[in-house]
Amino acid sequence: MAAQILVVEDDPGIQELIAVNLTRAGHLVRLAANAEAALGHVRSALPDLILVDWMLPGMSGIDLARLLRSEPRTRNVSIIMLTARDDERDKITGLEIGADDYITKPFSPRELLARITAVLRRRVPLATEGAVEIGGLRLDPAAQRVTAAGAELALGPTEFRLLHFLMTHAERVHSRAQLLNQVWGDHFFGDERTVDVHIRRVRAAMEESGHDTLIQTVRGSGYSLSVRER
């Protein structure tokens, strides 16, 4: 699955290693050594996926990812964080700002390619499915758009897939492991707490309209989306 990938990495050696391996895998690679250069690339053409190093000169990678997720034009671009920070709190922070995956340095080119393939693969099936609506909450996979009572919601691609799965499998309880398998896929390397992070993000996006109450936490089991009137 060839893709246009923007690599935002200030270490020339790591940048070259990534570029060579991604090019060999058939991807079109663009390079940026800092957030400002990355934003210039994004303004000219949207990539399919962005690899962002956490520790960048000037604006940090985490702030860049947060900015990309806040803009309507870039909020659906897939983002993978690259970082030497392996503390669990840092991983949670990366996921909470909307990153689709988190890779700790050092990593092998093979692992990087596997994760990129997994993230890109998650986006494909939704495009062929029809819109679904529950209680004034409407999700359109083809347009990559979610509205609540007519107002558009800002969701990243992972939150979009998660909500889509819950809406198309309403009134069923899904364990965290089941959600990881269905939404992230069997190539995901994270743990089950990743689901909790993204559920919080989905609820936060729907809170203003009151639709956050549709997503129920089932103690000891997982999550469910209710179709009952609120």
Side-chain angles (χ1 to χ4, degrees):
M1 183 186 298
Q4 296 187 39
I5 299 176
L6 174 60
V7 179
V8 191
E9 167 63 63
D10 65 319
D11 185 310
I14 296 177
Q15 191 183 79
E16 181 179 3
L17 176 66
I18 293 173
V20 167
N21 283 278
L22 293 187
T23 300
R24 284 177 180 169
H27 299 298
L28 178 62
V29 181
R30 302 165 76 190
L31 304 174
N34 54 57
E36 290 72 21
L39 290 172
H41 282 299
V42 170
R43 279 191 289 268
S44 63
L46 278 179
D48 297 303
L49 183 145
I50 305 177
L51 296 176
V52 185
D53 182 33
W54 185 304
M55 300 298 290
L56 293 172
M59 181 189 294
S60 70
I62 202 75
D63 286 337
L64 172 61
R66 186 178 287 111
L67 177 61
L68 293 170
R69 282 288 178 256
S70 70
E71 298 290 336
R73 180 172 173 270
T74 56
R75 70 182 179 213
N76 291 321
V77 175
S78 296
I79 298 174
I80 297 179
M81 298 297 301
L82 305 174
T83 177
R85 305 166 69 110
D86 60 359
D87 186 271
E88 182 179 302
R89 287 171 297 180
D90 294 326
K91 294 180 181 180
I92 295 298
T93 297
L95 294 170
E96 285 185 333
I97 58 90
D100 295 278
D101 204 351
Y102 185 109
I103 304 179
T104 304
K105 299 176 182 178
F107 52 83
S108 70
R110 187 173 180 178
E111 177 190 1
L112 177 62
L113 288 170
R115 292 192 181 220
I116 288 173
T117 299
V119 168
L120 292 173
R121 185 183 293 132
R122 294 173 206 157
R123 304 191 63 171
V124 175
L126 292 182
T128 60
E129 299 184 26
V132 58
E133 184 168 355
I134 294 175
L137 183 68
R138 188 176 193 275
L139 184 148
D140 185 343
Q144 289 285 298
R145 188 167 182 260
V146 180
T147 57
E152 186 167 359
L153 303 184
L155 291 178
T158 302
E159 289 79 42
F160 188 93
R161 290 191 305 274
L162 179 57
L163 181 58
H164 180 266
F165 180 79
L166 290 173
M167 290 180 71
T168 53
H169 298 79
E171 298 291 0
R172 305 178 196 173
V173 178
H174 308 281
S175 70
R176 291 168 177 80
Q178 289 171 330
L179 290 172
L180 278 177
N181 185 57
Q182 293 294 330
V183 179
W184 280 261
D186 57 7
H187 292 279
F188 184 68
F189 293 81
D191 60 41
E192 294 184 1
R193 282 167 291 188
T194 298
V195 175
D196 300 331
V197 172
H198 289 284
I199 287 288
R200 286 200 301 270
R201 289 181 60 83
V202 173
R203 282 173 168 161
M206 300 193 300
E207 188 173 7
E208 185 173 346
S209 67
H211 287 85
D212 57 305
T213 59
L214 291 177
I215 299 179
Q216 306 291 319
T217 301
V218 182
R219 191 175 183 86
S221 298
Y223 296 99
S224 175
L225 189 138
S226 174
V227 300
R228 291 172 294 177
E229 291 293 329
R230 294 173 293 113

